[in-house]
Amino acid sequence: MDEIELVLPSKDLEMAALEYKEEHFDNQEYELHGSSLFDKTDSYDDWLEQLKNNSNETTVNPDWVVSTTVFAIRKRDSKIVGMVDIRHTLNEFLRTYGGNIGYGVRPSERNKGYATEILKLALKYCKQLPLQRVMLACYKDNAASRKTIIHCGGILEKEFVYTDGKTIQKFWIDL
């Protein structure tokens, strides 16, 4: 696996970001995990503005929490291999269903160890926040994500059925 780094989204990464989103959509994946709703916006500039607002306590959407959303970029060729959304605190919804960290890997780059590296880098970032542990959740049938979370120290707290009828597993990782 090539080395990656976490990079804040910027205007100069627009084409690479749109290619990342398109690859997911071409794979019939219409939800981009860790993207802070990048999959739901038609305007990259509007999404950048949303990220900027959500990164500040005074401008964050009142239904959201302060968060940092970044691309995971392979250093060798500057390709976006994944994304991660790091939520600095938890609201009721995130405490129940989502957690502090959501991440995703582009379809063509899966099974190469990037998810583990993305999560490790996100955990390192979380250590700079006033957090002592973080929560992550994934569908039980998402074996790759479950393995990644456990590999990075995740301890299963509980399982429950979500509104879509699928079982979610909720994990905690001590920092």
Side-chain angles (χ1 to χ4, degrees):
M1 180 195 65
D2 293 305
E3 189 176 1
I4 60 170
E5 63 184 336
L6 301 183
V7 177
L8 288 170
S10 61
K11 186 66 176 169
D12 62 318
L13 292 170
E14 181 174 9
M15 291 310 300
L18 293 174
E19 289 170 6
Y20 176 85
K21 180 163 64 168
E22 184 177 332
E23 182 176 321
H24 280 84
F25 287 5
D26 287 348
N27 255 349
Q28 284 71 53
E29 296 176 14
Y30 301 106
E31 183 177 347
L32 276 65
H33 298 283
S35 75
S36 194
L37 299 181
F38 181 47
D39 49 358
K40 308 287 188 260
T41 184
D42 293 326
S43 167
Y44 187 76
D45 291 331
D46 289 349
W47 181 68
L48 288 178
E49 185 66 22
Q50 173 190 304
L51 295 184
K52 179 181 169 192
N53 290 339
N54 287 339
S55 71
N56 186 307
E57 193 173 299
T58 60
T59 56
V60 66
N61 178 319
D63 295 327
W64 289 37
V65 298
V66 174
S67 63
T68 303
T69 304
V70 291
F71 292 124
I73 297 183
R74 186 168 47 211
K75 289 184 177 185
R76 164 175 63 85
D77 59 5
S78 300
K79 182 178 184 178
I80 298 173
V81 297
M83 293 183 74
V84 61
D85 187 38
I86 302 166
R87 296 133 194 159
H88 300 201
T89 59
L90 297 175
N91 59 20
E92 184 178 340
F93 176 82
L94 292 172
R95 195 175 299 104
T96 305
Y97 303 109
N100 294 95
I101 300 172
Y103 61 90
V105 176
R106 82 186 300 147
S108 63
E109 300 298 333
R110 292 182 182 150
N111 300 311
K112 298 179 181 178
Y114 288 119
T116 299
E117 189 59 26
I118 289 168
L119 182 52
K120 285 180 180 179
L121 291 171
L123 292 169
K124 183 176 179 182
Y125 181 90
C126 287
K127 289 179 182 181
Q128 300 170 19
L129 303 173
L131 296 172
Q132 296 180 344
R133 66 184 192 147
V134 294
M135 186 199 128
L136 292 94
C138 69
Y139 284 116
K140 185 175 183 175
D141 64 2
N142 186 344
S145 190
R146 182 178 63 251
K147 277 179 49 178
T148 297
I149 294 167
I150 292 169
H151 180 77
C152 290
I155 304 297
L156 180 65
E157 178 186 53
K158 68 178 183 176
E159 293 182 355
F160 59 92
V161 177
Y162 189 55
T163 57
D164 61 5
K166 294 173 73 174
T167 300
I168 290 182
Q169 292 183 313
K170 179 177 172 180
F171 297 87
W172 288 94
I173 298 176
D174 290 328
L175 298 176

